[in-house]
Amino acid sequence: MKNLKHRELQEGEFWRKFPAFAEVSQDEFIDYKWQIKNSISDLKKLVETIEYFVSDDFLLAITKGFHLAPMTVRVTPYLLSLIDWNDPWNDPIRKQFIPASNRLIEDHPMLTLDSLHEQKDSPVSGLTHRYSDKALFLTVNSCPVYCRFCTRSYAVGADTETVKKMDLYLNSKHWETAFQYIESCPELEDIVISGGDTYNLSAEAIKKIGFRLLQIPHIQRIRFATKGLAVMPMKILSDEKWVDALTEVVCLGRKLHKQVAIHTHFNNAQEITMISKLAIDKLFERGIVIRNQSVLLRGVNDTSEEMQLLVKRLSYINVQPYYVYQHDMVQGVEDLRTSVQTTIEIEKNVRGVTAGFNTPTFVLDAPGGGGKRCIHSFEYYNPETGVSVYTAPSVKPGKYFMYFDPLHSLSEEIRQAWRDENKRQQMCLDAIYHSGVAVRSHFA
Ligand code: SF4
């Protein structure tokens, strides 16, 4: 018998297994307003909801975790119902959204909050223009849930006890400044509308932003970035106004011969249920293209089997697996980061399980603003010290970018070396020397 596990989607009233939702009807559970109203963002409410069936150790760990996390916590009832509460320590959904203090580990000393230097490449607040023909337009700073590992933890969500968020002034006045900048750059063809999460934009805002961008003659492609499909697919099934607004933007794009797509963010096959399929079927019937961008996360999808299953399941529901990202070097979530070597191994095992157009590219977003590089394209990589060196000739010619594997993937001796300022510098200099990039950038 062939392995068809990717087609086995959770169906029926699975949420009733979660004690707090045992009495919740299908109509209620499918209603996005009910999902929003019952989302949990407060420690007391979470503890009250789960204290009857988890251990005291777990409650203590998440209580401490709330105080240490760079991101605020917010989870939908849908996600809560998908967590295996018999083993919450190891559950891939719990790991992404609910921090447990005793699973946190030491940050690599080279980590920063804005590791991609998005702010340095921002000509106007909330707009990153790094690639010549593409810009990232941040429109909102909130999300339906908050991922512990968010790249934009420096600005997304409310302040936490450990991170004061940067205010990017994401409002309609700022949008106007961004539109004017985009209009003034004829080389721009492609705009990623992101945040935060565009799920949190109103139907009016979706139309306003979409129509305005499509009317700019040189803009050919726009994409709405949202994790919403993975964490609250109910919105697609019950917020007709929002889905209609999106459809109108897609239809206008089609008339103008311009692409409009959704980029979403599933990380583990467990997140894809029959409800997800129904939501995506609805968008598919309206001709809306959906691509997926996963992040490779330790204990969530960092085995070949998990990633193969995710890729096959996404393909099965007509979501194109587009990218798998190496985890960015953001602070406070080192327990979730993997080494470049791990990503290389997984990529080898994923390539070939399905059609090429459904095989994601495994990329590393070069720290410091080099943009996305294929994981294999390093100039030099030393798995022993965990240093890799990348270049980005078409983005930042003459520059090089370094990525550092997490300390937990290195030997004790090398971990100690990273704690020493001088040895740290030496390991970086060795990597630069062996890569040859210093000589090339000198003559560039
Ligand atoms: S949904 Fe996106 S922007 Fe929001 S917390 Fe998650 S990764 Fe960050």
Side-chain angles (χ1 to χ4, degrees):
M1 183 66 182
K2 298 275 180 218
N3 185 354
L4 301 177
K5 195 174 169 197
H6 62 283
R7 298 186 197 166
E8 294 166 12
L9 308 182
Q10 274 216 67
E11 56 187 323
E13 298 186 336
F14 55 83
W15 58 89
R16 288 186 190 262
K17 283 185 267 168
F18 185 73
F21 306 144
E23 302 303 322
V24 176
S25 69
Q26 175 157 320
D27 286 349
E28 276 178 305
F29 198 75
I30 290 293
D31 180 0
Y32 80 100
K33 287 188 188 147
W34 186 88
Q35 288 286 330
I36 292 174
K37 190 166 158 229
N38 290 284
S39 289
I40 291 186
S41 50
D42 151 306
L43 176 62
K44 189 164 164 272
K45 193 166 168 203
L46 180 61
V47 169
E48 281 168 9
T49 309
I50 61 174
E51 65 185 340
Y52 303 107
F53 48 88
V54 298
S55 66
D56 289 347
D57 286 354
F58 183 76
L59 288 177
L60 184 63
I62 64 164
T63 301
K64 287 188 184 165
F66 260 67
H67 296 299
L68 297 170
M71 294 295 291
T72 43
V73 174
R74 183 175 170 85
V75 276
T76 54
Y78 175 64
L79 285 182
L80 283 173
S81 74
L82 293 177
I83 292 173
D84 176 4
W85 289 102
N86 293 317
D87 186 12
W89 294 111
N90 294 312
D91 185 88
I93 296 177
R94 195 285 301 163
K95 284 182 184 176
Q96 295 177 68
F97 301 101
I98 303 174
S101 64
N102 58 358
R103 296 300 198 258
L104 300 179
I105 50 178
E106 180 186 2
D107 274 355
H108 195 288
M110 306 304 273
L111 302 188
T112 55
L113 265 184
D114 177 13
S115 74
L116 303 183
H117 288 195
E118 290 184 333
Q119 290 312 299
K120 273 198 183 154
D121 287 331
S122 291
V124 299
S125 177
L127 189 124
T128 301
H129 187 182
R130 174 173 300 145
Y131 305 91
S132 71
D133 74 344
K134 187 186 105 174
L136 170 70
F137 178 17
L138 304 182
T139 54
V140 61
N141 71 354
S142 65
C143 307
V145 298
Y146 291 108
C147 315
R148 290 183 50 222
F149 50 90
C150 182
T151 291
R152 240 159 261 139
S153 58
Y154 65 90
V156 167
D159 290 347
T160 65
E161 288 178 41
T162 53
V163 180
K164 169 131 185 60
K165 308 287 167 161
M166 179 184 287
D167 192 349
L168 299 177
Y169 304 103
L170 307 181
N171 51 42
S172 50
K173 197 167 153 221
H174 142 74
W175 298 349
E176 195 48 46
T177 316
F179 293 141
Q180 286 169 16
Y181 176 82
I182 294 166
E183 280 165 343
S184 74
C185 295
E187 72 275 22
L188 278 175
E189 294 185 355
D190 189 344
I191 306 294
V192 181
I193 307 156
S194 187
D197 192 314
T198 56
Y199 234 41
N200 279 11
L201 291 173
S202 65
E204 290 76 20
I206 290 285
K207 285 204 275 190
K208 179 175 173 166
I209 294 170
F211 289 169
R212 179 68 191 270
L213 289 173
L214 289 172
Q215 299 295 353
I216 299 174
H218 50 269
I219 296 303
Q220 281 298 116
R221 298 172 292 281
I222 65 173
R223 4 176 175 156
F224 289 95
T226 173
K227 191 173 174 65
L229 296 176
V231 299
M232 201 196 349
M234 297 77 188
K235 184 173 175 76
I236 304 298
L237 297 171
S238 56
D239 188 350
E240 291 304 329
K241 199 172 162 204
W242 195 87
V243 179
D244 286 346
L246 180 69
T247 310
E248 280 185 54
V249 177
V250 171
C251 289
L252 177 65
R254 203 168 293 134
K255 274 196 200 117
L256 296 172
H257 305 151
K258 300 185 177 197
Q259 285 184 32
V260 180
I262 288 186
H263 278 206
T264 194
H265 178 184
F266 289 91
N267 286 327
N268 182 282
Q270 191 176 318
E271 294 156 15
I272 304 173
T273 64
M274 193 51 86
I275 301 175
S276 333
K277 183 168 178 348
L278 290 172
I280 283 155
D281 284 349
K282 180 168 171 179
L283 298 176
F284 191 77
E285 282 167 21
R286 296 180 181 214
I288 300 176
V289 171
I290 308 169
R291 305 187 188 104
N292 189 66
Q293 306 189 173
S294 299
V295 180
L296 195 73
L297 297 163
R298 183 163 167 253
V300 173
N301 55 17
D302 67 332
T303 65
S304 299
E305 295 71 29
E306 285 289 0
M307 190 53 76
Q308 287 171 350
L309 182 60
L310 174 64
V311 165
K312 294 268 288 177
R313 194 166 281 177
L314 286 167
S315 308
Y316 178 61
I317 61 166
N318 290 315
V319 174
Q320 185 189 356
Y322 171 45
Y323 275 144
V324 175
Y325 284 89
Q326 182 74 14
H327 194 304
D328 292 326
M329 295 202 309
V330 286
Q331 292 170 331
V333 280
E334 200 64 338
D335 54 311
L336 291 175
R337 224 159 52 91
T338 60
S339 66
V340 165
Q341 188 61 44
T342 304
T343 311
I344 290 170
E345 287 303 319
I346 294 174
E347 195 277 343
K348 274 189 215 163
N349 287 307
V350 167
R351 188 158 295 280
V353 297
T354 189
F357 66 87
N358 271 334
T359 302
T361 306
F362 286 67
V363 292
L364 178 145
D365 217 338
K372 293 165 203 68
R373 315 310 303 161
C374 173
I375 195 73
H376 294 279
S377 69
F378 49 78
E379 306 294 327
Y380 174 77
Y381 175 42
N382 182 345
E384 205 178 309
T385 59
V387 186
S388 45
V389 182
Y390 288 81
T391 55
S394 55
V395 183
K396 298 252 168 88
K399 296 211 166 185
Y400 58 85
F401 306 89
M402 287 195 280
Y403 184 86
F404 304 95
D405 288 348
L407 294 180
H408 65 73
S409 67
L410 309 173
S411 69
E412 181 51 36
E413 188 190 346
I414 300 291
R415 279 203 286 269
Q416 285 300 344
W418 278 111
R419 291 179 191 118
D420 180 310
E421 177 81 43
N422 294 329
K423 290 182 182 163
R424 192 186 304 165
Q425 261 190 14
Q426 194 53 52
M427 286 188 281
C428 293
L429 288 172
D430 281 351
I432 294 164
Y433 172 76
H434 284 106
S435 69
V437 291
V439 179
R440 270 182 274 149
S441 50
H442 180 74
F443 289 107

